[in-house]
Amino acid sequence: MTFNENANVGGNRARRRGAGVAVAGGGLAGIAAIAVVLFQLFTGQDLSGVVPALPQTGSAGESEIQQCETGADANRDDACRLAAGSVVLDQYWGSQVQGYRAPQLVIVDQQTPSQCGTASNQTGPFYCPPEETVYIDPTFFALLRQQFDASAGDLAQLYVLAHEYGHHVQYITGLMDQHPNNGTGPDSNGVRTELQADCFAGAWVGDMTQQVDENGVPYLKEPTPQQIADAINAAGAVGDDHIQQESGGFVNPESWTHGSSEQRQRWFETGYQGGPASCDTFAVAGGNL
Ligand SMILES: [Zn+2]
């Protein structure tokens, strides 16, 4: 119960895409597309950005997120919760970053190709810079529960989404270009990039109840201490050392790319307390990272 029930989360730009999505040639999308073609024929105006293009034959299908208009919908359904989360994240980052532009959010159904490789629940959520797109498969959260005992509750799911948005902010602000992700050691740019994304996620969680819909209704309720702990737990659960231990391996700092569980939790809390300005992971000496 993270969203306010009557908050308006309609108009989100998330799309469902993947092998399990079948909308080609039928349904409302098809009718809308035909209507647009007719409109264009008669008026010469190009409305191709208004409704989705129909999927090409043989490619992964794409559809809208169904019944995702209110906070109540978001509380009920994982895909809608992520779509609604993107609305709140876009509003927050729009107020923090000059010239902010929203990423695409693709809710993965089974699997779908991307310029950054195949997206599925096995790859986990990721951000694809050349597409400015976040890919996330909601069934990933079930894996998080099973494999890492992370409760993967509502706020933890939004934290994971917010982490990927953190990478989008890094990309559009030029931080990624300034600090190329080369090397994998414990104080490499790769680790600093990941910890900064955790910090940005924490910054959003710390301010998320300030974001309101057009009627002034806050999208999200004040997180409970339990939910915060849950989100921090999720941050730790996807820390690389934890994953290596869980999979029976030993912790090899040279192979870290995300940072340790302790580091991830600490940077999340840094952002939560201090906002985005506190998130300069590139300015910290290696031993203090
Ligand atoms: Zn990351």
Side-chain angles (χ1 to χ4, degrees), residues 163-164 167 194 197 258 264:
H163 173 96
E164 302 310 330
H167 289 315
E194 293 302 327
H258 282 78
R264 300 201 69 179

Coordinates of all heavy atoms in Angstrom, one line a residue, residues 163-164 167 194 197 258 264, ligand 1:
H163 N 16.9 3.0 -9.1 CA 18.3 2.8 -9.3 C 18.5 2.9 -10.9 O 19.5 3.6 -11.3 CB 18.7 1.4 -8.8 CG 20.1 1.0 -9.2 ND1 21.2 1.2 -8.4 CD2 20.6 0.5 -10.3 CE1 22.3 0.8 -9.0 NE2 21.9 0.3 -10.2
E164 N 17.6 2.3 -11.6 CA 17.8 2.4 -13.1 C 17.6 3.8 -13.6 O 18.3 4.2 -14.5 CB 16.9 1.4 -13.8 CG 17.0 -0.1 -13.4 CD 18.4 -0.6 -13.4 OE1 19.2 -0.1 -14.3 OE2 18.8 -1.5 -12.6
H167 N 20.7 5.7 -13.4 CA 21.7 5.6 -14.5 C 21.2 6.5 -15.7 O 22.0 7.1 -16.4 CB 21.7 4.1 -15.0 CG 22.4 3.2 -14.1 ND1 23.6 3.5 -13.5 CD2 22.1 1.9 -13.6 CE1 24.0 2.5 -12.7 NE2 23.1 1.5 -12.8
E194 N 27.7 2.7 -10.0 CA 26.6 1.9 -9.4 C 26.2 2.5 -8.0 O 25.0 2.6 -7.7 CB 27.0 0.4 -9.2 CG 27.1 -0.3 -10.5 CD 25.9 -0.2 -11.4 OE1 24.8 -0.2 -10.8 OE2 26.0 -0.2 -12.6
A197 N 24.1 5.6 -8.5 CA 22.7 5.3 -8.8 C 21.9 4.9 -7.6 O 20.8 5.2 -7.5 CB 22.7 4.1 -9.9
H258 N 29.1 -3.7 -8.6 CA 28.0 -2.8 -8.0 C 28.5 -2.3 -6.6 O 27.9 -1.4 -6.1 CB 26.7 -3.6 -7.8 CG 25.9 -3.7 -9.0 ND1 26.2 -4.6 -10.0 CD2 24.8 -3.0 -9.4 CE1 25.3 -4.4 -11.0 NE2 24.5 -3.5 -10.7
R264 N 26.3 -0.3 -0.7 CA 25.1 0.1 -1.4 C 24.1 0.6 -0.4 O 23.4 1.6 -0.7 CB 24.5 -1.2 -2.1 CG 25.4 -1.8 -3.1 CD 24.7 -2.6 -4.1 NE 23.8 -1.8 -5.0 CZ 23.1 -2.3 -6.0 NH1 23.0 -3.6 -6.2 NH2 22.4 -1.4 -6.7
Ligands
ZN1 ZN 23.1 -0.3 -11.8

